[in-house]
Amino acid sequence: MKARAQGRPGPSLGQPYRTLVKLLGKDRIRADATSAISRYSARISFAALLAAVPLVPWLFLPGPLGGIGDLIVLVGLLALSRFFLAIQALDVGTSFGGLGSSREMWMGALAEPVFLLVIFAFGGPAGSTQAGVIAARGIALGAAYASPPLLLALVAYVLLLLVETGRLPVDNPATHLELTMIHEALVLEASGRDLALVAWGEGIKFTLLVGLLAALALPWGIPTVWTVPLLAAGAILLVAKLVGADLLVGHLETRVAKWRLFRVADLLALAAVLAFGSLALTYVIGGGA
Amino acid sequence: MILSGLLLVIGLAGFLAASLLALVGRSGRWVRASLAVGAGAAAVSAVQALTVLTGADLATGALAIPGTTAANPLVALALTEDPLGAFFLLVVSVSGAAILIASIGYIDRYVAHGSARLAGLLSLFLISLLLVCLAGTVFTFLVAWEGMTLLSYFLVVHEHRSPETRRAGFLYLAMSQAGTAAILTSLLLLATGSGTGTFAGIARSAPGLPVGILDAAFVAALLGFGMKAGLVPLHIWLPEAHPAAPSNVSALLSGVMIKMGILGLLRVLFELMGGGPEWWADLLLALGALASLSGVLSALAQHDLKRLLAYHSIENIGIILLGVGAALLFLDLGDPALAALALAAALLHTWNHALFKPLLFLGAGAAVGAVGTRDMERMGGLARRMPAVGVGFLVGALAISGLPPFNGFVSEWLLFHSFFGAFATGSVATEMLFAALAGILALTSGLAAYCFVKAFGIVFLGRPRSEPAARAAAPPGTLSAGMGILAGFCALLGVAPFLALAAMHRSLLELTGASLGSGSVVAFPTALPSPGAGVSLPFAPGAVALLLAGMLLVSWALWRLRGVPRRDTVGPAWECGGEPTTARAEPTALGYAQPIEHLFHPYYRPRDRIELGGSEGPGRAGLAPVVGFGREIEEPVRKYLYHPLAGGLLGAARATSRLQSGRIHAYLVYMFVTLVGLLLLLRLVGGGSP
């Protein structure tokens, strides 16, 4: 889709999955300096992402396992996944790995407060940090849910999404030009099955965060009662929402060029200010609580 | 009551026996036996703490030493069994036992440098820590506190042959004495009018004291206990003293001793004064935010492994203080449930830090011992040389970075939720304050993860950066065993924090009037118990851990989906197909943190040092080759606060010395003038009353 917008024909939608299956059947090559960390961390990192999936209400409310953890737990699991990728990159003992690892952790550290503030901005009025409860309030409120503070928080979340998933203008997922890559440098030395899990994990993280966007910003249509037609309608709507959000991100990526690394801090600062502003609006004007 | 008293006596006797074993025996075998006996005594103390925490009658639990109470109430020696002291006793003895076990393997390197003295002092030091937890009177507390300070000073200067160690020790001792003076002032101010020296007696009368005295006592307590806890800007002894001490001592200092500052602060603030005005809470919150952020920023810039860990202690004390300040503020706002939540977060983080920081210091000790330097740039690849230590350090790193499923995540999660609860208080200023604090806390924990990826990655992963690192030998098994105990507790409290919540149940009730749960151990996979109406805690640590474990199985299965893989092909790193590189191309500790230094440049103000080679070097076109690069970072508080202060102090001392003429009649005149001055002051202030 991104390729189409850039005037290229682009690979088919199924291509990434074909690559995945191929890679899953391949053996690994490990660098000679590595320790047990390289042997296991791809799988640990992937598992942490998988564990975060049920914390988002995809198809019904409250989410499948919404009761056992809230969005702060989700942030913790994402950070756990990132931690293991970052130490894996250092394990190889090459300069690119270290470069990518340092940059990734730098962005992660700066993104964390923004994520927290966005959670507070969405969750404050609902009195909960659980995605399911926030979405349920949105459904109950209907159109009145789309208040100005919420829009601010939404913009902040989209900026955060670009940073967290390494999209342009922050990082270019397609680049292999050594000086500009962040995430790619991180996983440069992964191969075979590990590379498959890392690439798949990246896709899961993107879908996860987009799904969260859909649940928080467009909660309507998520069934609150268990009936087959409602679930089916919810599923269709979910796919529509996801595709819509993907199109939005793809469009944003096509419109901007890669930024210098340190401008990412500006972007995150902007997002933090927006989220904080959203909270201030909610409480000063008295729209919430 | 009788059982716990018996256990207390057994524990104390055990420690005494342990230190005698070491000091009298002096040989390697006796030293090891001493440490083992000490660890046993610590285990007995842990059991004693548990009997107090689960016991029925607490009010009567005072152990007076006969003959001292009646004569003069101010110098009464008595121990008490209160829930807060018992909680800290539990914290001290669990970590103490693990550290002593680890020391059995670690202490051998000090055979030539008085390992017997080190082992003997360790057990005595634990006695003093135990007495600080249990002290029931002002006098007992001060004696134990001073014993703790002096013993820790001797432990810090164990390697007294190095001038750097002596300097660090002197700074520590000087600041500690100032701190003790402040604590003495605070406690005596509070004791005025109570006619007694027992904490219980003071707690009855202190809240009725005039506001001015309470304020003064609060400030003095904050200075004194803050000094010990390493509160910014009173922390500068900490990054000097911790690296200078042997690593098992650093583990005790950083993991356990600085927590005594927190205990003292909680005793004075909540027990004796029963809370305080809002500006105290605001001050605590501001100091906590300052400490956590500046601690982690300074840590990131370090390449001395132990100094890096010392700065993280400052950060974690900041996080604990955020919880204490929030609890105080919520009490002022009349919300005991939130106060209990915030205090639970602070207490849990106190215990957590007492577990993962010794774990990290012991790991660092193994690395430093094997490589022979504290400089991270000369380590690397150690996980292959000492796998058990590597795993232990990794667990500590994950826990301190606040990542699930370890204990650091639970306490930070609780703290976030107490901040989130502030959104229901209805005051805009409070809400915005806590939104900002949540941002700072999240930034701190993100940066901590950054820093520990750096620490673990540079020290334990990659290729060795120096010859000794490549030949490093694994430490003895007892060191790994001690680390294993600590790592096990990190995981246990991360998966089942109910155990810790039950242990602090009575303290929470006593200090805030609310608690999390009922004090019983709640079923394992359920959500955390709510402290009161309106506060829900949607987090089930056990269930999240199970989920994570399940997903690990899934990803293992996916990994094997297309058959069991052959053995990994091992070869040189790919690196985009370039030439094979050496360890010189590996990222350095300095370079790894460069992005953050760039961003926070005004905080660091680094001074770069570039060494240029001589003109005969292979320079090109008149350019001298760079042969060395270093970056020195001095903390702002040292430059702007302590240097002028030390200068002023020396100047004042010089000015006073002019008074000392050595002539007796001049001294008599001084005494006379002082006496007249005091009488005049009394007349002016007292207004004629006797």
Coordinates of all heavy atoms in Angstrom, one line a residue, chain B residues 195-247:
Chain B
G195 N 8.6 14.1 78.4 CA 9.1 13.6 79.6 C 9.6 12.1 79.5 O 9.8 11.4 80.5
T196 N 9.8 11.7 78.3 CA 10.2 10.3 78.2 C 11.1 10.2 76.9 O 11.1 11.1 76.1 CB 9.0 9.3 78.0 OG1 9.5 8.1 77.5 CG2 8.0 9.9 77.0
G197 N 11.8 9.1 76.8 CA 12.6 8.9 75.7 C 12.2 7.8 74.8 O 12.8 7.4 73.8
T198 N 11.0 7.2 75.1 CA 10.5 6.1 74.3 C 9.8 6.6 73.1 O 9.1 7.7 73.2 CB 9.6 5.1 75.1 OG1 8.4 5.9 75.4 CG2 10.3 4.6 76.3
F199 N 9.9 5.9 72.0 CA 9.1 6.4 70.8 C 7.6 6.4 71.0 O 6.9 7.3 70.6 CB 9.5 5.4 69.6 CG 10.8 5.7 69.0 CD1 11.6 4.6 68.5 CD2 11.3 7.0 68.9 CE1 12.8 4.9 67.9 CE2 12.5 7.2 68.3 CZ 13.3 6.2 67.8
A200 N 7.1 5.4 71.8 CA 5.7 5.3 72.0 C 5.3 6.6 72.8 O 4.2 7.2 72.5 CB 5.4 4.1 72.8
G201 N 6.1 7.0 73.8 CA 5.7 8.2 74.6 C 5.8 9.4 73.7 O 4.9 10.3 73.8
I202 N 6.8 9.6 72.9 CA 6.9 10.7 72.1 C 5.8 10.8 71.1 O 5.2 11.9 70.9 CB 8.3 10.7 71.3 CG1 9.4 10.8 72.3 CG2 8.4 11.9 70.3 CD1 10.8 10.6 71.7
A203 N 5.4 9.7 70.6 CA 4.3 9.7 69.6 C 3.0 10.2 70.2 O 2.2 10.8 69.5 CB 4.1 8.3 69.1
R204 N 2.8 10.1 71.5 CA 1.6 10.6 72.2 C 1.6 12.1 72.3 O 0.6 12.8 72.1 CB 1.4 10.0 73.6 CG 0.8 8.6 73.5 CD 0.3 8.1 74.9 NE 1.5 7.9 75.8 CZ 2.2 6.7 75.8 NH1 1.8 5.8 75.0 NH2 3.2 6.6 76.6
S205 N 2.8 12.7 72.6 CA 2.8 14.1 72.9 C 3.3 14.9 71.7 O 2.9 16.1 71.6 CB 3.8 14.4 74.0 OG 5.1 14.1 73.7
A206 N 4.1 14.4 70.7 CA 4.7 15.2 69.7 C 3.7 15.9 68.8 O 3.9 17.1 68.5 CB 5.7 14.3 68.9
P207 N 2.6 15.3 68.4 CA 1.7 16.0 67.5 C 1.2 17.3 68.1 O 0.7 18.2 67.4 CB 0.6 15.0 67.2 CG 1.2 13.7 67.4 CD 2.2 13.9 68.5
G208 N 1.2 17.4 69.4 CA 0.7 18.6 70.1 C 1.7 19.8 70.2 O 1.4 20.8 70.7
L209 N 2.9 19.6 69.7 CA 4.0 20.6 69.8 C 3.7 21.8 68.9 O 2.9 21.6 67.9 CB 5.3 20.0 69.4 CG 5.9 19.0 70.5 CD1 7.2 18.3 69.8 CD2 6.3 19.7 71.7
P210 N 4.2 23.0 69.2 CA 4.0 24.1 68.3 C 4.5 23.9 66.9 O 5.4 23.1 66.7 CB 4.9 25.2 69.0 CG 5.2 24.7 70.4 CD 5.0 23.3 70.4
V211 N 3.9 24.5 66.0 CA 4.2 24.3 64.6 C 5.6 24.5 64.3 O 6.3 23.8 63.5 CB 3.3 25.2 63.7 CG1 3.6 25.0 62.2 CG2 1.8 24.9 63.9
G212 N 6.2 25.6 64.9 CA 7.6 25.9 64.6 C 8.5 24.8 64.9 O 9.5 24.5 64.2
I213 N 8.3 24.2 66.1 CA 9.2 23.1 66.5 C 9.0 21.9 65.6 O 10.0 21.3 65.2 CB 8.8 22.7 68.0 CG1 9.3 23.9 68.9 CG2 9.5 21.4 68.4 CD1 9.3 23.5 70.4
L214 N 7.8 21.6 65.2 CA 7.5 20.5 64.3 C 8.2 20.7 63.0 O 8.9 19.8 62.5 CB 6.1 20.2 64.1 CG 5.3 19.6 65.3 CD1 3.8 19.4 64.9 CD2 5.9 18.2 65.6
D215 N 8.1 21.9 62.5 CA 8.8 22.2 61.2 C 10.3 22.0 61.3 O 10.9 21.4 60.5 CB 8.5 23.7 60.8 CG 7.1 23.8 60.2 OD1 6.5 22.7 59.9 OD2 6.6 24.9 60.0
A216 N 10.9 22.6 62.4 CA 12.3 22.4 62.6 C 12.7 21.0 62.7 O 13.7 20.5 62.1 CB 12.7 23.2 63.9
A217 N 11.9 20.2 63.5 CA 12.2 18.8 63.6 C 12.1 18.1 62.3 O 12.9 17.2 62.0 CB 11.3 18.1 64.6
F218 N 11.1 18.4 61.5 CA 11.0 17.8 60.2 C 12.2 18.1 59.3 O 12.8 17.2 58.7 CB 9.7 18.3 59.5 CG 9.7 17.9 58.0 CD1 9.5 16.6 57.6 CD2 9.8 18.9 57.0 CE1 9.5 16.3 56.3 CE2 9.8 18.6 55.7 CZ 9.6 17.3 55.3
V219 N 12.6 19.4 59.3 CA 13.7 19.7 58.4 C 15.0 19.0 58.9 O 15.8 18.5 58.1 CB 13.9 21.3 58.4 CG1 15.2 21.6 57.7 CG2 12.8 21.9 57.7
A220 N 15.2 19.0 60.2 CA 16.4 18.3 60.7 C 16.4 16.8 60.4 O 17.4 16.3 60.0 CB 16.5 18.5 62.3
A221 N 15.2 16.2 60.6 CA 15.1 14.8 60.3 C 15.4 14.5 58.8 O 16.1 13.6 58.4 CB 13.7 14.2 60.6
L222 N 14.8 15.4 57.9 CA 15.1 15.2 56.5 C 16.5 15.4 56.2 O 17.1 14.6 55.4 CB 14.3 16.3 55.8 CG 14.1 16.1 54.3 CD1 13.4 14.8 53.9 CD2 13.4 17.3 53.6
L223 N 17.2 16.3 56.8 CA 18.7 16.5 56.6 C 19.4 15.2 57.0 O 20.2 14.7 56.3 CB 19.2 17.7 57.3 CG 18.8 19.1 56.7 CD1 19.3 20.2 57.6 CD2 19.5 19.2 55.3
G224 N 19.1 14.8 58.3 CA 19.9 13.7 58.9 C 19.7 12.4 58.2 O 20.6 11.7 57.7
F225 N 18.4 12.0 58.1 CA 18.1 10.7 57.4 C 18.3 10.8 55.9 O 18.7 9.8 55.3 CB 16.6 10.3 57.8 CG 16.4 10.0 59.2 CD1 15.5 10.7 60.0 CD2 17.2 9.0 59.8 CE1 15.3 10.4 61.3 CE2 17.0 8.7 61.1 CZ 16.0 9.4 61.9
G226 N 18.0 12.0 55.4 CA 18.3 12.1 53.9 C 19.8 11.9 53.6 O 20.1 11.4 52.6
M227 N 20.6 12.4 54.5 CA 22.1 12.2 54.3 C 22.4 10.7 54.2 O 23.1 10.3 53.3 CB 22.8 12.8 55.5 CG 24.2 13.3 55.2 SD 25.3 11.9 54.9 CE 25.0 10.9 56.3
K228 N 21.8 9.9 55.1 CA 22.1 8.5 55.1 C 21.5 7.8 53.9 O 22.1 6.9 53.3 CB 21.6 7.9 56.4 CG 22.0 6.5 56.6 CD 23.5 6.3 56.7 CE 24.0 6.6 58.1 NZ 25.5 6.5 58.2
A229 N 20.3 8.3 53.5 CA 19.6 7.6 52.4 C 20.2 8.0 51.1 O 20.0 7.4 50.1 CB 18.1 7.9 52.4
G230 N 21.0 9.1 51.0 CA 21.6 9.5 49.8 C 20.7 10.4 49.0 O 20.6 10.3 47.8
L231 N 20.0 11.3 49.7 CA 19.0 12.2 49.1 C 19.8 13.3 48.4 O 20.7 13.9 49.0 CB 18.2 12.7 50.2 CG 17.0 13.6 49.9 CD1 16.1 12.8 49.0 CD2 16.3 14.0 51.1
V232 N 19.4 13.6 47.2 CA 20.0 14.7 46.5 C 19.6 16.0 47.2 O 18.4 16.1 47.4 CB 19.6 14.7 45.0 CG1 20.0 16.0 44.3 CG2 20.1 13.5 44.3
P233 N 20.4 17.0 47.5 CA 21.8 17.1 47.2 C 22.7 16.7 48.3 O 23.8 17.2 48.4 CB 21.9 18.6 46.9 CG 20.9 19.2 47.9 CD 19.8 18.2 48.1
L234 N 22.3 15.7 49.2 CA 23.1 15.3 50.3 C 23.8 14.0 50.0 O 24.2 13.2 50.9 CB 22.3 15.1 51.6 CG 21.5 16.4 52.0 CD1 20.5 16.0 53.1 CD2 22.5 17.4 52.5
H235 N 23.9 13.6 48.7 CA 24.2 12.3 48.3 C 25.7 12.1 48.0 O 26.1 11.0 47.7 CB 23.4 11.9 47.1 CG 23.8 12.7 45.9 ND1 23.4 14.0 45.8 CD2 24.6 12.5 44.9 CE1 23.9 14.5 44.7 NE2 24.7 13.6 44.1
I236 N 26.5 13.2 48.0 CA 27.8 13.1 47.3 C 28.7 12.1 47.9 O 29.7 11.7 47.2 CB 28.5 14.5 47.1 CG1 28.7 15.0 48.5 CG2 27.6 15.4 46.3 CD1 29.8 16.1 48.4
W237 N 28.5 11.7 49.2 CA 29.4 10.7 49.7 C 29.2 9.3 49.1 O 30.0 8.5 49.0 CB 29.2 10.5 51.2 CG 27.8 10.1 51.6 CD1 26.7 10.8 51.8 CD2 27.3 8.7 51.8 NE1 25.6 10.0 52.1 CE2 26.0 8.7 52.1 CE3 28.0 7.5 51.7 CZ2 25.2 7.6 52.3 CZ3 27.2 6.3 51.9 CH2 25.9 6.4 52.2
L238 N 27.9 9.1 48.5 CA 27.5 7.8 48.1 C 28.3 7.3 46.9 O 28.8 6.2 46.9 CB 26.0 7.8 47.9 CG 25.2 6.6 48.1 CD1 23.8 6.9 48.5 CD2 25.2 5.8 46.8
P239 N 28.3 8.1 45.8 CA 29.1 7.5 44.7 C 30.6 7.5 44.9 O 31.3 7.0 44.1 CB 28.8 8.5 43.5 CG 28.2 9.7 44.2 CD 27.6 9.3 45.5
E240 N 31.1 8.0 46.0 CA 32.5 7.9 46.4 C 32.7 6.7 47.2 O 33.6 5.9 47.0 CB 33.0 9.1 47.1 CG 32.8 10.5 46.4 CD 33.5 10.6 45.2 OE1 34.7 10.0 45.1 OE2 33.0 11.2 44.2
A241 N 31.8 6.5 48.3 CA 32.1 5.5 49.3 C 31.7 4.1 48.7 O 32.4 3.1 49.0 CB 31.3 5.8 50.5
H242 N 30.6 4.0 48.0 CA 30.2 2.6 47.5 C 31.3 2.0 46.6 O 31.6 0.8 46.8 CB 28.9 2.7 46.8 CG 27.7 2.9 47.8 ND1 26.4 2.7 47.5 CD2 27.8 3.2 49.1 CE1 25.7 2.9 48.6 NE2 26.5 3.2 49.6
P243 N 31.8 2.7 45.6 CA 32.8 2.0 44.8 C 34.1 1.7 45.6 O 34.8 0.7 45.2 CB 33.1 3.1 43.7 CG 32.0 4.0 43.7 CD 31.5 4.0 45.1
A244 N 34.4 2.5 46.6 CA 35.7 2.3 47.3 C 35.6 1.1 48.1 O 36.7 0.5 48.4 CB 36.0 3.6 48.1
A245 N 34.4 0.7 48.6 CA 34.3 -0.4 49.6 C 34.5 -1.7 48.8 O 34.2 -1.8 47.6 CB 33.0 -0.3 50.3
P246 N 34.8 -2.8 49.5 CA 34.7 -4.1 48.8 C 33.3 -4.4 48.4 O 32.4 -3.9 49.0 CB 35.1 -5.1 50.0 CG 35.9 -4.3 50.9 CD 35.4 -2.9 50.8
S247 N 33.1 -5.2 47.3 CA 31.8 -5.3 46.7 C 30.7 -5.9 47.6 O 29.6 -5.5 47.5 CB 31.9 -6.1 45.4 OG 32.5 -5.3 44.5

